[in-house]
Amino acid sequence: MPFDPNDIMKDRLTDIGPPKYDKFFPPIVKENYGKWKYHEILEPGVLLHVSETGAKLYSVRVGTARLVTVDYIREVCDIADKYCDGYLRWTTRNNIEFLITDESKLRPLIEDLKSRGNWFPIGGTGASITNIVHTQGWIHCHTPATDSSGIVKAVMDELFEYFGSHKLPAQVRIALACCLNMCGAVHCSDIAILGVHRKPPFIEHERVQNVCEIPLVIASCPTAAIKPKKVGEYKSIEINEARCMFCGNCYTMCPALPIADQDGDGIAIWVGGKVSNSRVPPMFSKLAIPYLPNEPPRWPSTVKAVKKIVEIYASDARRYERIGEWINRIGWERFFEKTGFEFRHEHIDDYRLAMTTWRTTTQFKF
Amino acid sequence: MALKHKTPMLDELMKGPWPSFVTDIKRVAERKPQCDDILGLMELSYKDREGHWKHGGIVGVFGYGGGVIGRYCDRPDLFPNVAHFHTMRVNQPASKFYKTDVLRKLCDIWEEKGSGLFNFHGSTGDIILLGTTTDQLEAIFYELTHELGMDLGGSGSNMRTPEGCVGRARCEWSCLDTQDIVYDITMRYQDELHRPAFPYKFKFKVSGCPNDCVAAIARADCSIIGTWRDKIRIDQEAVRAYVGGELVPHGGADGPEKRPLDIQAEVIDKCPTKCMEWDGKNLKIWDEDCVRCMHCINIMPRALRPGEDVGATILVGSKAPILEGAQLSSVIIPFMKMEPPYEEFHEFVGKMWDWWMEHGKNRERLGELIQRLGMREFLRATDVKPDPRMVNTPRYNPYIFYDPDDVPGGWSRDPKAYRERHQP
Ligand code: HEM
Ligand code: HEM
Ligand code: HEM
Ligand code: HEM
Ligand code: SF4
Ligand code: SF4
Ligand code: SF4
Ligand code: SF4
């Protein structure tokens, strides 16, 4: 039955959920499910998984822009049809993996991918800088303090040599969130790029009562900075600007409180987080640079800062040390010394539980 | 066809070795006016250094409370084709395996009824269809369900689309059937996924081992992480082969060259609990001291494997730092067997949700509620016994909330008897 716009309930299917996962497993995965014995990265971006049965699965990993079109997906399908019997998967970090069982198709696939301009960079395995996980930015969200896709492109262009190689002490995970809501996981990343506002919202008093539920606006503020206030004949609100920490929650509740500002907004850089439990427990990313301006289209200050962190880490860290482990070994005083980043008031926590980050020992380095 | 909008700033992003979304969108903009306008709008944002989207507007498909996000442009005068540009979240198959036929059909539907732009994938895991109008939503939903066997994912105060790592489908370390657990949760809680009835969002994420490739510990209200209780399986022959330089250390993650592994420096000294010893011939692991960090296994994948008595560690409550400070998920159940139909797990989820729905304030995540009312209340509500594995250290402040039930006579006192013993 085709869709009938006049009777949307006809043949309606709901709550069917996603396709069952094994519907799209290639036969080799079905046959060897749970039997994988070991893996080897044959070269950057090319993985071999060997089963107890002796079966071999090759995966060729390529980076993507995440923001992609139907044309791109169709091209990906053409490639997967030609070499992979139509089977492929995406990784958590926005890479595609072409899955191959016939070893004789591996080289031709790699050559084919390489022949298609810059669409299909191969890499993202092992001690590399894999793809950046990121959020929407100016392409689709209403609260961003910066863009996403453009910065990611500019940073990956600059760090490209690290995507397709294994020359770092360990993997470096970069993430970007374009506002403090942070709908991408950047808080535990080796390097996090975070959009920040630095001016409190301004209030369009004549609009507030028409477009906002004032009690909801007041409740939305995490620092209780907002109070009701009558302004002339308008029912409106006031903001205690000294308490505002620029989260933008109130704007989400009330469009008469714009927070975006071309000169106020920009980027903060965080370092040293990790998620895996390997060696040391997961760690949060800590503030490295409190503010860099938004510099479209290629964000040179941000790109430069990220590259500097990567290069100093690459030359100074020991094998297997993630950025956070490296900094913990050398100490934050050395991190700021080596990077030349200015250590400022913003670096010293003054929020709740701030004191847990202050130095309560006489042990430090000169 | 020439494009309507000039985009000199965006054009700078067509250069360089990394794939360019601008080049990609431009080729579709030749035939789709929405793509032309979105490039124009982006260019304006690049000039203004401010976004141009308005939020809100309740849009959706009939009977669902989530899965669609309303979006309107604040310059419809200049960019009429993206004046209304709503997002649909489509629930991905667990671990994101696909066959091309389903992707091609999805492209056809989305080319006809939407902008042709995707996020593959959104941070939560869904396929994001970026940009369509209200009148297309039902038709797209119909075709998704009928032609692709696909459904919408979550948004709003509901269970969000669960996701897991690649697991046993292609990883030798997985201690869990990650896809099956994700699928089971997704299907069992379809109602919770599609009809927001929670105080706020709720996320499940499943990783097969402590390497935690989906960052479950950092971004899920309930993190399920595979682990084992017995011994790391050792192939001594292969250990000697690593030391002798016959195998590539770290599965080639540091380069494909064979080199003798310095097992003392690279493995044993890096072990967080120093529970390994190498006598030149055999590797000894005191498994009772191993904290299952995965390092030694990562470095010698052909010699070491996780044990066979596998299950999951269940952690809850990663949450925003917003008031009291941010948190990662904390251990609640150190070990749980995870076998279909996962009854024990779902019993726990039921108790957890009941407690959260009864006590949680609007927009209060589970982790925040636990902080507000205390871990004790949460453990009581879920019938979980305290265990040292739940803490890094016992408390170091003396302000204990004693329970009257634990004190003889409770908190009732006998003032008269007291005054008989003590003069005022
Ligand atoms: C006041 C709080 C928040 C608001 C107003 C908000 C708003 C939004 C909006 C409007 C989008 C859709 C962007 C688009 O596609 O157009 C979005 C996406 C998303 N949000 Fe939030 N959000 C908030 C908090 C959070 C938080 C705290 C998280 C998680 C930590 C989160 C996770 C996500 C995720 C995962 C997405 C998908 C984004 C992507 O994949 O690019 N959000 N959010
Ligand atoms: C180290 C710093 C920070 C980290 C790691 C962090 C992390 C997070 C995370 C993980 C969330 C999602 C919480 C959830 O899942 O519900 C979140 C939400 C949020 N964060 Fe932060 N954040 C940080 C700093 C800030 C700051 C400085 C602000 C404001 C100035 C802020 C404002 C918010 C807001 C408004 C939300 C959404 C709260 C809600 O969902 O109701 N965050 N943050
Ligand atoms: C300091 C402690 C922090 C904690 C405990 C924390 C915790 C969390 C939690 C629980 C989530 C839930 C994610 C979800 O709902 O999917 C989350 C998500 C997120 N956090 Fe953090 N966070 C912290 C710091 C930060 C910081 C400093 C940033 C940015 C610099 C950040 C950015 C994000 C983002 C972007 C997400 C969305 C993840 C996703 O949905 O993919 N967080 N974080
Ligand atoms: C079980 C928890 C604790 C108990 C039973 C305890 C008990 C005591 C006692 C009996 C004293 C001596 C008071 C006196 O001079 O007559 C003292 C002093 C002190 N305690 Fe604690 N304390 C506890 C926890 C803490 C904690 C967590 C801190 C700080 C983090 C702390 C910081 C101090 C300080 C700074 C002094 C004063 C030391 C001095 O001036 O000589 N105590 N405590
Ligand atoms: S991080 Fe903030 S601005 Fe960016 S997409 Fe998410 S909610 Fe929107
Ligand atoms: S931006 Fe955040 S902190 Fe500032 S007034 Fe609005 S809600 Fe409050
Ligand atoms: S989390 Fe563990 S089991 Fe899952 S893919 Fe990563 S290494 Fe493999
Ligand atoms: S898994 Fe980690 S803790 Fe256990 S033996 Fe190996 S290195 Fe040591």
Side-chain angles (χ1 to χ4, degrees):
Chain A
M1 262 324 118
F3 176 65
D4 177 357
N6 299 314
D7 183 6
I8 64 167
M9 298 312 287
K10 200 166 76 191
D11 306 322
R12 192 176 185 80
L13 290 174
T14 69
D15 299 279
I16 61 170
K20 187 149 183 258
Y21 50 90
D22 56 1
K23 187 170 169 198
F24 306 128
F25 278 176
I28 186 173
V29 166
K30 276 194 192 143
E31 287 153 20
N32 295 282
Y33 182 89
K35 296 184 196 155
W36 298 106
K37 194 164 169 217
Y38 68 90
H39 76 278
E40 218 172 291
I41 307 174
L42 301 176
E43 59 191 79
V46 182
L47 297 145
L48 164 67
H49 285 81
V50 180
S51 163
E52 278 161 3
T53 66
K56 291 182 172 180
L57 175 63
Y58 298 87
S59 307
V60 179
R61 187 178 290 177
V62 302
T64 82
R66 188 183 92 136
L67 171 58
V68 297
T69 68
V70 287
D71 284 15
Y72 175 84
I73 298 293
R74 286 176 179 136
E75 189 173 344
V76 167
C77 289
D78 291 342
I79 298 168
D81 280 339
K82 189 158 170 202
Y83 300 97
C84 314
D85 301 318
Y87 294 103
L88 71 165
R89 70 177 293 268
W90 266 259
T91 70
T92 306
R93 301 192 69 95
N94 310 321
N95 296 311
I96 294 177
E97 288 177 345
F98 292 101
L99 304 171
I100 282 200
T101 43
D102 179 354
E103 192 185 344
S104 69
K105 291 189 178 160
L106 182 62
R107 279 297 134 199
L109 167 65
I110 292 170
E111 292 315 315
D112 188 341
L113 290 168
K114 285 184 177 163
S115 73
R116 294 174 189 251
N118 66 353
W119 290 110
F120 300 104
I122 300 173
T125 51
S128 69
I129 296 182
T130 183
N131 206 345
I132 298 181
V133 289
H134 64 97
T135 53
Q136 298 290 10
W138 291 333
I139 196 83
H140 207 244
C141 194
H142 67 285
T143 55
T146 188
D147 188 31
S148 282
S149 297
I151 303 164
V152 168
K153 163 79 173 137
V155 170
M156 285 311 286
D157 276 342
E158 188 69 24
L159 298 179
F160 191 72
E161 59 174 312
Y162 295 105
F163 179 77
S165 65
H166 289 161
K167 53 187 183 185
L168 291 167
Q171 68 266 45
V172 172
R173 300 280 189 253
I174 307 182
L176 179 148
C178 39
C179 84
L180 297 171
N181 294 324
M182 300 175 208
C183 55
V186 313
H187 55 294
C188 293
S189 303
D190 294 282
I191 302 177
I193 303 169
L194 177 67
V196 290
H197 302 287
R198 295 185 305 165
K199 294 189 189 185
F202 69 90
I203 308 169
E204 297 172 303
H205 292 295
E206 67 292 351
R207 285 184 74 211
V208 170
Q209 64 182 19
N210 299 329
V211 297
C212 315
E213 296 274 357
I214 289 175
L216 287 183
V217 182
I218 292 168
S220 77
C221 178
T223 66
I226 303 179
K227 280 205 261 192
K229 183 181 178 186
K230 200 126 201 261
V231 180
E233 78 266 37
Y234 300 121
K235 271 194 232 144
S236 184
I237 54 132
E238 68 177 336
I239 297 180
N240 177 347
E241 298 189 336
R243 288 182 83 148
C244 178
M245 39 73 147
F246 318 103
C247 69
N249 265 356
C250 54
Y251 173 66
T252 291
M253 286 295 148
C254 178
L257 303 174
I259 186 167
D261 184 279
Q262 36 184 216
D263 298 317
D265 298 348
I267 284 174
I269 308 278
W270 306 69
V271 297
K274 92 194 248 293
V275 172
S276 91
N277 289 278
S278 180
R279 295 172 305 284
V280 300
M283 294 191 277
F284 295 122
S285 316
K286 322 291 192 301
L287 184 63
I289 303 178
Y291 178 80
L292 294 167
N294 274 327
E295 299 166 323
R298 299 216 49 121
W299 277 270
S301 302
T302 298
V303 169
K304 197 171 132 210
V306 171
K307 183 151 196 201
K308 185 175 235 178
I309 295 167
V310 170
E311 287 185 337
I312 292 172
Y313 158 74
S315 68
D316 205 52
R318 297 182 184 156
R319 192 194 283 278
Y320 306 139
E321 264 179 353
R322 298 279 295 264
I323 288 185
E325 294 171 87
W326 163 63
I327 296 174
N328 282 349
R329 177 169 56 78
I330 64 171
W332 285 97
E333 53 273 53
R334 287 280 182 274
F335 172 80
F336 283 96
E337 196 178 291
K338 282 175 193 282
T339 54
F341 297 155
E342 186 190 0
F343 189 81
R344 302 164 50 97
H345 281 297
E346 291 92 326
H347 288 102
I348 303 181
D349 196 349
D350 51 9
Y351 204 60
R352 317 209 178 164
L353 301 186
M355 61 289 180
T356 60
T357 64
W358 300 340
R359 184 101 55 159
T360 52
T361 165
T362 53
Q363 298 180 8
F364 50 78
K365 297 178 186 174
F366 287 112
Chain B
M1 195 185 84
L3 298 182
K4 198 164 65 182
H5 305 290
K6 292 254 171 297
T7 56
M9 290 180 94
L10 285 181
D11 292 352
E12 290 298 312
L13 291 170
M14 297 170 74
K15 302 171 185 165
W18 191 250
S20 166
F21 65 99
V22 179
T23 315
D24 191 12
I25 299 175
K26 275 201 171 181
R27 60 182 172 176
V28 180
E30 300 276 338
R31 58 181 198 275
K32 293 209 55 97
Q34 295 103 309
C35 289
D36 197 353
D37 271 6
I38 198 134
L39 288 172
L41 183 81
M42 270 290 260
E43 181 75 12
L44 186 64
S45 281
Y46 272 45
K47 239 185 270 163
D48 291 346
R49 287 175 286 134
E50 287 168 356
H52 280 286
W53 294 102
K54 295 194 282 189
H55 61 301
I58 298 196
V59 290
V61 300
F62 182 81
Y64 280 16
V68 183
I69 295 162
R71 182 66 76 233
Y72 304 90
C73 150
D74 71 7
R75 296 308 302 269
D77 54 330
L78 301 175
F79 308 103
N81 296 305
V82 295
H84 298 216
F85 209 65
H86 310 320
T87 296
M88 297 182 87
R89 293 184 176 171
V90 179
N91 199 151
Q92 82 290 358
S95 313
K96 307 186 177 98
F97 280 88
Y98 294 96
K99 188 122 202 279
T100 46
D101 50 0
V102 73
L103 292 176
R104 287 185 195 280
K105 275 194 219 159
L106 182 65
C107 287
D108 293 344
I109 295 171
W110 189 233
E111 163 123 33
E112 188 196 326
K113 298 192 160 62
S115 68
L117 288 178
F118 296 104
N119 287 149
F120 255 91
H121 297 75
S123 317
T124 310
D126 302 283
I127 304 169
I128 309 288
L129 310 185
L130 214 53
T132 189
T133 48
T134 310
D135 57 337
Q136 296 288 0
L137 298 174
E138 287 293 347
I140 294 169
F141 179 67
Y142 185 95
E143 294 190 2
L144 284 176
T145 49
H146 284 78
E147 288 177 28
L148 301 185
M150 287 188 161
D151 199 345
L152 296 184
S155 67
S157 292
N158 57 8
M159 182 180 87
R160 296 302 179 80
T161 306
E163 183 53 305
C165 74
V166 71
R168 285 175 169 151
R170 204 202 49 198
C171 182
E172 67 268 29
W173 294 327
S174 189
C175 301
L176 299 174
D177 290 310
T178 53
Q179 287 92 4
D180 197 60
I181 294 168
V182 167
Y183 187 69
D184 183 77
I185 294 172
T186 312
M187 296 311 286
R188 187 182 290 239
Y189 302 120
Q190 279 289 295
D191 197 35
E192 286 79 359
L193 179 71
H194 290 136
R195 294 170 198 88
F198 286 157
Y200 202 10
K201 65 181 92 166
F202 195 95
K203 300 190 178 183
F204 289 98
K205 286 198 163 60
V206 189
S207 276
C209 83
N211 280 331
D212 195 3
C213 292
V214 287
I217 204 166
R219 54 190 193 121
D221 300 273
C222 182
S223 323
I224 303 164
I225 301 181
T227 194
W228 66 94
R229 283 190 294 202
D230 52 347
K231 293 170 180 299
I232 291 179
R233 286 175 282 170
I234 309 179
D235 176 347
Q236 299 287 358
E237 199 77 33
V239 177
R240 288 188 282 270
Y242 277 112
V243 175
E246 296 152 44
L247 292 172
V248 185
H250 208 180
D254 313 298
E257 313 77 38
K258 287 189 185 146
R259 61 177 175 83
L261 178 74
D262 181 347
I263 192 167
Q264 188 64 40
E266 296 183 43
V267 181
I268 294 172
D269 292 348
K270 294 255 176 200
C271 169
T273 57
K274 306 286 176 282
C275 65
M276 318 176 90
E277 207 176 279
W278 169 247
D279 65 7
K281 275 214 177 91
N282 284 299
L283 181 69
K284 163 86 187 140
I285 301 180
W286 282 272
D287 286 276
E288 62 276 21
D289 287 333
C290 166
V291 290
R292 301 168 315 287
C293 81
M294 294 297 294
H295 176 73
C296 58
I297 300 175
N298 290 342
I299 302 304
M300 302 191 289
R302 294 182 68 167
L304 303 180
R305 309 175 73 182
E308 293 174 303
D309 181 13
V310 294
T313 300
I314 313 285
L315 309 90
V316 307
S318 352
K319 72 155 202 69
I322 197 69
L323 282 180
E324 301 301 330
Q327 269 178 232
L328 293 162
S329 282
S330 311
V331 173
I332 299 298
I333 302 178
F335 187 86
M336 185 188 271
K337 278 278 174 195
M338 291 296 277
E339 279 152 16
Y342 312 108
E343 287 300 340
E344 193 187 352
F345 177 70
H346 290 297
E347 230 173 84
F348 170 72
V349 171
K351 288 178 199 161
M352 171 166 71
W353 279 353
D354 284 347
W355 183 73
W356 181 46
M357 287 169 74
E358 183 177 343
H359 300 285
K361 295 195 272 196
N362 186 31
R363 286 167 61 82
E364 186 172 42
R365 296 283 286 261
L366 177 69
E368 291 164 315
L369 177 62
I370 295 176
Q371 254 189 10
R372 182 162 64 83
L373 296 187
M375 182 63 93
R376 178 206 311 232
E377 292 304 315
F378 178 72
L379 295 180
R380 273 201 186 136
T382 50
D383 293 319
V384 178
K385 273 223 192 75
D387 187 305
R389 294 166 191 84
M390 293 173 182
V391 296
N392 289 328
T393 81
R395 71 161 71 222
Y396 47 84
N397 71 66
Y399 313 122
I400 305 172
F401 294 100
Y402 289 104
D403 189 328
D405 291 346
D406 295 338
V407 187
W411 287 349
S412 64
R413 307 284 292 267
D414 184 345
K416 208 161 143 236
Y418 181 87
R419 281 303 163 213
E420 278 166 13
R421 295 193 299 275
H422 305 268
Q423 291 181 359

